[in-house]
Amino acid sequence: MHSLTLLLPWTATLPAGALIKAIGAPSVPPGGWTSATFAKDGERLVKAIYRAFKATTRQVQPTVQRMAQGLFRGQMEEMFALWAGAPRFRAAQDDLDATASLMMAALEKVIAESQDDAIKSLIPPVQAVVEEAYSKVGIMLGGHGRVDWTHHTDKISKDIARRITRLDDTTRAYVRDQITKGIAERLTVTELTKRLREKMPQWSANRAFTVARTETTNAWTAGSVASFQECKTLTHVSVIGCEAREPRSPQYRGESTCNIQDVPVQDANLLEFHPNHTGCMVPSQFQAVAVTRADLVTDPEAEAAPNPDAHLTDEQRNALRKLDLITNSRGNVDLTANGGFREWVMDAIDIDAKEIASYGYTATLPIDRCLVKLGNEAVNTDTVRAFIRDPKLANTAAHRAAKTHLPVIAKDKDNGYYIVDGHARLLAARLRGEKDVKVTLVSTFKVKGERVNKAVLDQLKGQPEMKAAWNSIPASLRYHAHPDLKITLQSKPGSHYNYHNRELVIGTDWGCRDLMLIHEFGHHFHFELDLCKHFKMANEPAEVFKKVQQRVKNKLKTSTFYSAVVNDIKNTPGFESFNDNNERQRYDMTAYTDTAAAASEGAFGFGHSKNYWKTSTYAGPMEFMAHVMEATSGQFPILDHFLPRLKRYGAKLVKRYNAWL
Amino acid sequence: MTTNHKKRATSWDEEEALRKTYAERFGEEFPFFFYDPEGRTAATLMRVALRDGVPFQDQTPPGVVP
């Protein structure tokens, strides 16, 4: 054993159980971790995971560092040999760029050729960290901690080993810089080699240290994420231990991933970290409902029985999991205790009853078991489950809606109801620090949604077209209005329309006042949900932006943009009668072109003034969101036609915002 | 259609001509969405800009979104 330890130093670790005991990890609560047990013992759990992370990575890091340093030196020496045997470097010395490129090509060649062997030698220590992380974190969360081939640790380790061996941009820039300087000073190849060789020991040691620390940390993260995602009660993870929040590091929901808080566990494997990452991922939120210990453990042997849901996508599984939590099957939630909430849920679920009926899924069942109301029909959760499971229905609008709007609620026997829904998450975000928000069923959504809806309609008295516009916004978005939302109608001929501090100001003399109401409510919506802070990073808007930009890319000249767009619209089937002297049609067109302006923050398109885009960091995202709201209302045919994804994006907003917060 | 043409001091054709002149004079379109503390119309603001030779400067206060 001793000699083996010398040969393979990363094996010299305590058995997982002994180490977990030594670092003071709390025992797994009976029934597994929940929000209540996490509130009590979470600090110890987090500290224990962090200690295990430090203990494991520190043990393996020196080995990886030594191997990496040896590898880098070998690669550089091979590069020098190639330089020495290539007289064309000297011949090309008058062309500085060409010579530098040839020399760099030699380095790339060396690295490409040496990579396979280097990767093979680095896999064992890296894999040891991945498996240790999986095992230790898994045991601390209540799993069995056994690693088998299904966990793909070899693949994960290979990817990480490949990152260690590859030439990163910083190194590439460093070597190129040295070469360029050397050539500019008219050094010969021998002199340049000598200079680099002198600088190499310190440089390769620094690089090896950084790479080893980063990649052993990444190896631990990959292993622990596998365990986090197997823990059925864990909902969110956070990153701790980063020394600072690097602004230029990889982003998630528009913020740096350093020390990021409360990322949904299903997204944990999507987080990327900057090259000097030192943080550790830890659990930060659990569900309120306790599940049985058997549920917590994903035992490959126990799962030998055929799984009826094996063919389902992750999205479908998540939807079913959410549904489980609002039924009596696990959490024993009594939804009949307050009909208000149930009704709100029903109202909020925008499922087209006819569409579902056409698939034969509607049925009338006792109301006390009903969660979803479809028009005048009622179905129970089993029906919804069957609906979600049906692969034939995947990607139909109703199917997406069913998955999007299912709320998660749970009852804690000591503390009352926890509603783990978008609204509660919003409150949690506002309260900062509260991981679960306790809300009573009476004082939340039913009251909020309906009262605000009525209050808004009251303020729109005498404005039937504005009332219709308000009602055209999907209820699930409209109900996010703040109870203090005020609508000020002004009778002035000028351009009176804006949103400020929960007040919509609309000029009643303008022919497009109803359309403007939708736009300004869009501003209220994104301010209330704090959407724009997360906006720039989110993939979906980025893709929409790209589409917008592609569509108008060829019409960038300001002087011709307007007429180009008008001609484009007139030449599009269905819009031949477009007339830009028609106020409403022009407004619709401007919503389209202003979306382009928002996407490019004023670089092209038209709508708002050029300097408006400079008034706020979020001016572009804010206007984009307001146009998304217009698209969801169905009142903007031109906008819908030319940017169809906006509407779909709007429909996903609530779901996305649930995931963000 | 809810357009209230009676209250429009400037017809669409006139406004369009003003927009064209404005764009030629200042090299950029007059904005469609803007904030003016006095609540003036686009046509009025364009006339003022053309008279004074100074392009319109949108001075939207922080927190206000037109």
Side-chain angles (χ1 to χ4, degrees):
Chain A
M1 185 66 196
H2 184 67
S3 59
L4 183 66
T5 302
L6 284 177
L7 283 170
L8 308 171
W10 55 88
T11 61
T13 180
L14 284 169
L19 187 131
I20 287 166
K21 198 174 174 188
I23 57 180
S27 53
V28 180
W33 288 99
T34 62
S35 57
T37 52
F38 187 66
K40 191 170 160 231
D41 280 336
E43 189 180 346
R44 283 173 61 208
L45 174 69
V46 168
K47 281 182 178 171
I49 290 176
Y50 190 74
R51 285 191 198 113
F53 155 70
K54 279 287 176 198
T56 309
T57 52
R58 273 183 189 160
Q59 188 171 21
V60 178
Q61 191 182 317
T63 310
V64 175
Q65 188 180 339
R66 272 196 302 278
M67 293 166 99
Q69 196 168 351
L71 171 72
F72 299 154
R73 282 182 183 168
Q75 288 171 337
M76 293 300 277
E77 287 299 335
E78 279 185 48
M79 177 182 74
F80 296 150
L82 277 178
W83 286 2
R88 64 182 183 282
F89 294 154
R90 284 189 292 279
Q93 205 156 7
D94 284 340
D95 186 347
L96 195 140
D97 275 349
T99 315
S101 297
L102 284 170
M103 289 181 147
M104 285 303 293
L107 177 59
E108 305 275 5
K109 183 169 182 279
V110 166
I111 286 173
E113 285 172 359
S114 65
Q115 218 174 20
D116 282 351
D117 288 344
I119 290 171
K120 275 181 199 159
S121 65
L122 279 161
I123 284 177
V126 171
Q127 193 164 7
V129 179
V130 176
E131 296 190 352
E132 284 292 306
Y134 174 80
S135 172
K136 285 168 186 164
V137 173
I139 291 169
M140 284 188 258
L141 291 176
H144 52 68
R146 288 195 302 274
V147 183
D148 63 27
W149 65 271
T150 57
H151 294 101
H152 306 299
T153 57
D154 54 340
K155 187 182 177 301
I156 295 170
S157 311
K158 196 172 179 182
D159 289 345
I160 292 173
R162 189 174 286 127
R163 283 209 296 271
I164 297 175
T165 58
R166 79 177 177 201
L167 186 64
D168 62 24
D169 290 342
T170 316
T171 313
R172 193 176 275 117
Y174 174 81
V175 176
R176 193 180 179 97
D177 186 47
Q178 291 296 323
I179 292 171
T180 314
K181 275 184 191 163
I183 297 172
E185 292 170 28
R186 313 296 293 178
L187 295 183
T188 64
V189 170
T190 317
E191 286 165 337
L192 183 56
T193 305
K194 190 181 169 204
R195 178 188 283 184
L196 273 172
R197 199 175 271 135
E198 280 166 6
K199 292 188 174 182
M200 195 174 61
Q202 187 55 45
W203 165 78
S204 65
N206 289 347
R207 186 182 158 215
F209 173 79
T210 308
V211 168
R213 186 172 66 175
T214 305
E215 296 306 337
T216 48
T217 302
N218 284 339
W220 174 276
T221 305
S224 58
V225 164
S227 272
F228 290 147
Q229 292 183 334
E230 284 181 10
C231 176
K232 291 185 179 177
T233 49
L234 178 61
T235 60
H236 290 75
V237 292
S238 295
V239 175
I240 60 169
C242 296
E243 286 159 18
R245 298 205 78 181
E246 299 282 345
R248 286 193 297 173
S249 74
Q251 308 268 304
Y252 175 80
R253 69 187 177 202
E255 59 177 305
S256 162
T257 54
C258 306
N259 283 343
I260 193 164
Q261 301 293 299
D262 294 335
V263 174
V265 70
Q266 63 269 26
D267 283 0
N269 56 332
L270 303 179
L271 294 188
E272 290 180 7
F273 300 100
H274 70 92
N276 221 352
H277 178 58
T278 55
C280 171
M281 202 179 280
V282 295
S284 55
Q285 283 188 46
F286 285 85
Q287 287 168 3
V289 178
V291 295
T292 64
R293 193 173 174 80
D295 288 334
L296 285 170
V297 180
T298 309
D299 188 333
E301 291 165 19
E303 284 194 343
N307 177 0
D309 290 344
H311 65 285
L312 299 183
T313 64
D314 288 347
E315 200 182 4
Q316 286 171 313
R317 284 206 187 90
N318 283 339
L320 289 171
R321 201 173 123 194
K322 283 184 175 184
L323 196 60
D324 280 344
L325 286 167
I326 50 176
T327 63
N328 290 331
S329 62
R330 283 186 182 170
N332 198 27
V333 177
D334 183 10
L335 283 172
T336 60
N338 187 302
F341 177 71
R342 192 184 62 228
E343 282 169 26
W344 182 86
V345 171
M346 291 171 178
D347 284 348
I349 299 174
D350 293 325
I351 301 177
D352 185 334
K354 282 181 187 165
E355 188 177 350
I356 295 183
S358 69
Y359 296 113
Y361 275 114
T362 52
T364 304
L365 291 156
I367 193 71
D368 62 350
R369 292 201 58 210
C370 290
L371 293 168
V372 183
K373 187 177 172 189
L374 309 169
N376 293 322
E377 298 292 325
V379 296
N380 79 340
T381 50
D382 289 337
T383 311
V384 180
R385 251 189 221 102
F387 182 68
I388 291 169
R389 280 200 175 100
D390 192 332
K392 283 182 294 187
L393 304 184
N395 296 323
T396 62
H399 198 227
R400 280 196 298 274
K403 287 183 292 187
T404 303
H405 293 292
L406 288 176
V408 177
I409 68 165
K411 187 184 181 188
D412 182 290
K413 65 179 178 182
D414 299 322
N415 299 311
Y417 288 95
Y418 286 87
I419 300 179
V420 190
D421 190 9
H423 299 76
R425 297 283 169 85
L426 177 65
L427 288 172
R430 285 185 180 154
L431 295 171
R432 289 288 171 215
E434 286 209 24
K435 300 301 182 194
D436 289 299
V437 178
K438 189 173 69 172
V439 283
T440 62
L441 296 180
V442 179
S443 65
T444 54
F445 311 131
K446 157 83 171 170
V447 174
K448 180 184 170 190
E450 289 204 351
R451 185 161 64 83
V452 175
N453 203 31
K454 188 172 178 301
V456 169
L457 290 171
D458 285 348
Q459 294 181 65
L460 295 175
K461 266 182 188 162
Q463 298 287 342
E465 70 289 322
M466 288 175 82
K467 279 188 178 178
W470 172 258
N471 286 327
S472 71
I473 302 169
S476 50
L477 301 179
R478 212 178 338 130
Y479 277 14
H480 284 290
H482 192 275
D484 294 342
L485 176 64
K486 186 181 172 196
I487 300 179
T488 302
L489 303 174
Q490 292 187 339
S491 176
K492 284 188 181 178
S495 51
H496 271 273
Y497 46 84
N498 59 63
Y499 173 79
H500 176 56
N501 201 16
R502 291 186 180 142
E503 181 182 10
L504 301 181
V505 180
I506 312 281
T508 51
D509 292 335
W510 198 34
C512 299
R513 51 190 175 266
D514 52 334
L515 304 181
M516 191 46 88
L517 175 77
I518 298 170
H519 181 91
E520 300 301 349
F521 176 69
H523 286 307
H524 175 67
F525 179 81
H526 71 66
F527 274 117
E528 286 305 308
L529 303 192
D530 218 0
L531 285 171
C532 292
K533 203 165 68 178
H534 309 303
F535 177 82
K536 287 193 170 184
M537 187 50 210
N539 292 332
E540 180 82 12
E543 282 175 30
V544 179
F545 267 19
K546 211 183 281 175
K547 288 279 177 201
V548 175
Q549 287 170 332
Q550 279 168 0
R551 282 207 67 87
V552 292
K553 202 172 180 180
N554 299 325
K555 303 160 193 162
L556 295 185
K557 285 183 187 167
T558 311
S559 58
T560 61
F561 189 91
Y562 186 90
S563 54
V565 173
V566 171
N567 286 335
D568 193 23
I569 294 171
K570 282 182 176 170
N571 290 327
T572 303
F575 295 97
E576 295 88 349
S577 61
F578 171 73
N579 173 10
D580 65 330
N581 277 346
N582 177 313
E583 197 173 15
R584 294 179 70 80
Q585 289 191 351
R586 181 205 282 263
Y587 187 88
D588 187 2
M589 174 189 74
T590 317
Y592 161 46
T593 57
D594 194 54
T595 309
S600 63
E601 300 191 324
F604 56 88
F606 57 79
H608 286 81
S609 63
K610 293 277 180 201
N611 48 338
Y612 171 71
W613 303 109
K614 298 171 194 157
T615 56
S616 157
T617 318
Y618 300 113
M622 287 193 302
E623 291 307 326
F624 186 80
M625 282 298 170
H627 293 308
V628 165
M629 188 64 67
E630 290 169 340
T632 62
S633 72
Q635 305 285 312
F636 292 77
I638 293 173
L639 180 68
D640 283 357
H641 179 84
F642 288 94
L643 298 173
R645 294 195 62 176
L646 281 196
K647 192 169 194 166
R648 276 182 272 158
Y649 175 61
K652 283 185 179 175
L653 265 181
V654 170
K655 182 183 177 187
R656 180 172 289 281
Y657 129 84
N658 286 345
W660 277 342
L661 299 177
Chain B
M1 282 291 292
T2 55
T3 308
N4 191 340
H5 287 288
K6 284 180 187 170
K7 291 194 180 180
R8 282 196 73 83
T10 308
S11 73
W12 281 107
D13 287 344
E14 281 176 292
E15 182 173 327
E16 205 48 54
L18 272 170
R19 283 186 180 277
K20 201 173 173 187
T21 312
Y22 183 95
E24 282 167 4
R25 175 84 175 274
F26 298 115
E28 65 178 50
E29 300 268 1
F30 188 85
F32 283 80
F33 308 114
F34 56 90
Y35 179 87
D36 177 52
E38 296 170 40
R40 287 171 292 183
T41 61
T44 306
L45 288 166
M46 280 190 281
R47 285 198 189 98
V48 169
L50 290 167
R51 184 194 66 200
D52 299 345
V54 180
F56 169 69
Q57 288 292 311
D58 188 358
Q59 293 173 342
T60 307
V64 174
V65 276

